[in-house]
Amino acid sequence: MIAEPKNIIEATDLSFGYGDFMLMKNISFAVKEHDIFVIMGGSGCGKSTLLHILTGLKKAASGRIKIDGKNLWTSDQTLRKDIMTDCGILYQSGALFSSMTLAENIAMPLQQYTDYSSSLIKELVSLKLALVGLAGFENFYPSEISGGMKKRAGLARALALDPKIVYCDEPSAGLDPISSHLLDDLFIELNQSLGTTFVIVSHELPSIFAVANNSVYLDAETKSIKGSGDPKELLKNPPNEKVKEFLTRGENIHA
């Protein structure tokens, strides 16, 4: 009998915002190991802010986050560092250092957080680039490659330390449909081959339906989660009108 995947992220009673203005109040959800989990919702609902909280870049006003059973904010500095090195981040722009080659960008976390030899780091860099379809591009600079390639190079860097979780902030933003589709395929391939859990902020319906097996819908008006689960199932059986409206924008995007 196959064991049920465990929760790798547990958010309990989270409230967050800026100053006295709350974006979300007392929301709770869980991400299971090997999920491709999408945080979705309209503009201003707090999708990216929630991602910043999950990655430890911002602290919630209240509530608790556990990553792989460890409390993100009450852990000591050493344990918190361990938690965060188990996570990778793909920023919306790719956030590559323009003065460094792709190889140098990807080598940086390996140089900072491991004691690997330079020859091993070189091998690992080539492996990560190959994983994202950029074999042979080690010596290219970010300015010499396309937008879609920059996103994939950013993903290679996010994978450098073999994280259990990779967080992605609007990965399809600024990409043409073909590049976006290729990136979606890559998320699925890496999820299936490496078992990596992905947490993705997105409002792009084609990508959401293509990759996600789990999700939450954040509603700015009620400051709450108005829907959760596989987006394809939410489309078939919408829990409320807001989720239905969001998932049927443009009509028949997903048949």
Side-chain angles (χ1 to χ4, degrees), residues 78 94 100 144 146 199 201:
T78 302
M100 299 167 69
E144 298 175 316
S146 69
V199 178
V201 164

Side-chain angles (χ1 to χ4, degrees), residues 106 125 128-129 132 134 151-161:
I106 295 157
V125 166
K128 303 305 178 185
L129 282 171
V132 300
L134 291 174
K151 293 286 179 84
R152 285 187 277 145
L155 182 56
R157 186 178 60 188
L159 293 166
L161 295 171

Side-chain angles (χ1 to χ4, degrees), residues 20 23 25 30 68 80 88 98 116 133 165 175 179 187 193 201 213 221 242 244:
D20 293 332
L23 289 162
K25 292 183 178 179
D68 206 14
R80 192 157 176 264
S98 60
Y116 295 161
I165 306 165
L175 297 184
S179 296
F187 290 142
S193 61
V201 164
N213 71 302
E221 187 177 348
K242 290 195 172 185
K244 181 180 178 181

Side-chain angles (χ1 to χ4, degrees), residues 7-11 29-31 54 65-68 165 167 199:
N7 291 341
I8 195 166
I9 300 173
E10 293 177 321
F29 62 90
V31 180
L54 293 174
I65 297 169
K66 283 188 174 182
I67 309 288
D68 206 14
I165 306 165
Y167 299 98
V199 178

Side-chain angles (χ1 to χ4, degrees), residues 102 125-138 145 148-149 151-153 155-156 159 182-183 186 189-190:
L102 300 192
V125 166
S126 294
L127 172 63
K128 303 305 178 185
L129 282 171
L131 276 175
V132 300
L134 291 174
F137 283 83
E138 285 85 349
I145 59 177
M149 293 167 78
K151 293 286 179 84
R152 285 187 277 145
L155 182 56
L159 293 166
L182 289 171
L183 191 60
L186 188 55
E189 182 183 328
L190 293 170

Side-chain angles (χ1 to χ4, degrees), residues 70 74-85:
K70 308 174 192 79
T74 60
S75 300
D76 61 40
Q77 193 170 353
T78 302
L79 183 56
R80 192 157 176 264
K81 182 181 175 183
D82 290 342
I83 294 170
M84 299 320 298
T85 51

